[in-house]
Amino acid sequence: SGSPWGRRSVAPWSPLKAMSPPTHLRRADGGKTPALSSDATLSAQPADFSKVGGVVRELDKAKYVGLLRRLIAQSKYLQNNPRLGILPEEKRAARIVMEELAPYSKEQGGPLIIEELEYSKGRSNLKVVYPGTSEKTLAFVGSHFDVVPADPSTWDHDPFELTEEGGKLYGRGTTDCLGHVALLTRFLSELGRTRPKLKRTVVVCFIAGEEGDDSGLGVDEVVRCGKLEEVKNGPVYWVDSADSQPCCGTSGMLSWSLKCSGRLFHSGFPNKGINSIELAMEACNYIQQRFYEDFPPMAQEEAYQFATGSHMKPTQIECAKGSLNQICPETTVSGDVRLSPFYEVDDVKASLERYVKELNDNDLEMLPTKGKWSKFVLEKGVMTQPGELRRGHVELKWQGDIDSFKLYAGIAVSLESEGHKALVQSFREVNGDVKPFSVNGSLPLVKMMQKQGFDIQLCGFGLMSVYHGVNEYCTIQDMRKAYEVLLRIVCLLEASSG
């Protein structure tokens, strides 16, 4: 049978009789339901390497490892967690990349246009352009200089020193994301060295402040200042996912807390207290049921192969400290919403705020209670002291602002894009098969850029199993394949440029 909280409930006590009617929520999709396919193809012919002239087809292991070693040696100073007071100096990594590319820079007679973009002291972004002959572009964005903190005492290897062992490269940032920084830097070095005549301009933008929810200094500021406007003329590959497959979708995230206030009283008299723990349980149930009715699963989520649709759940709970024979007066439940890219962040925020308002205004008396004596609204005969609540209260607090939530909004990439088709075909040609996927985790900034007209596609070549983890590593074999994927993308898009 259905939940007693469902809108179709006929239970006489159902609070949903007092609820406002369902809202007409804005979906981010007009109803068409494309589906992920491993058969997506840009060209009937495989990638033609003559399109990139003398660029070597294989990643130079010695040069790649040497460069990555220099980057990992700086990772101690690239750690980013503002909540812990840890701020990175991305300029250290940017300087290494600039030194690597300097022989091919315009200043030294080469083709590469290198521009350091520093919007906060020491927090460098780096834009590198290899000019083509047409207005069409191909961009690689999102590989970031900062890393999450690492505790050396929990690692088998020094996280701030590159260790090579059995084809694995250990160190903080190898998978997320200095391994990608080194990969793209070697790719740019080869373009600069061989100078192939390309129709498309290739743009790479390494970014600051990805791991710390920083705003106003990373790619958001780069975009705001118009420094990437030209890359709207072609696909933009966000190189910061994992597992060497095309990532086609992510979920958004909103963090919340519910502070439930009641009345402290002796536990022998539950009729004279308001149990904030029980209120928190029922308030969460009320809000979750309404959430799932307003944000149900959508066909697009299945088409994009998301493991789940949108969901809201508590993940932590804390209560006011007191004796076991006291009814707890205050309980806070915290959790998150993981939001499908086919719903809008503004809608879920407004909906949860409305649920809580209607609960406090009208529906508190209708919440189910435990047994005969528990109450969320005291009866008239119960005496209270000044300042004590006679009626329970629920307060919703967001753990972040709307701009932060929009920063992490989920994305569904365009499956009709030439960039998507080139990406899938390139992986298939390199690996023999391909498995596009979507993930319920979150990436910052990508939806913001998509809404501003960028054809965002997602890929990455590290390992999801060690993302942000102890003993993080990437493999030489994965990065060799990654380099070939990049080359094939360029070749396929060059052939499609006419």
Side-chain angles (χ1 to χ4, degrees), residues 76 79 149-161 172 469-472:
K76 183 175 183 179
Q79 297 177 99
D151 178 1
S153 68
T154 63
W155 282 55
D156 296 330
H157 308 279
D158 184 345
F160 308 123
E161 179 180 317
R172 175 55 89 218
V470 173
N471 297 323
E472 178 185 350

Side-chain angles (χ1 to χ4, degrees), residues 2-11 14-17 19 289 293:
S3 163
W5 291 97
R7 280 215 162 86
R8 296 176 179 81
S9 172
V10 295
S14 174
L16 295 151
K17 291 180 178 179
M19 288 183 183
Q289 292 294 343
E293 289 173 357

Side-chain angles (χ1 to χ4, degrees), residues 108-126:
Q108 296 191 28
L112 299 181
I113 302 169
I114 302 171
E115 184 178 7
E116 185 177 11
L117 304 170
E118 188 177 357
Y119 303 108
S120 179
K121 186 175 175 58
R123 308 294 304 275
S124 300
N125 305 270
L126 192 64

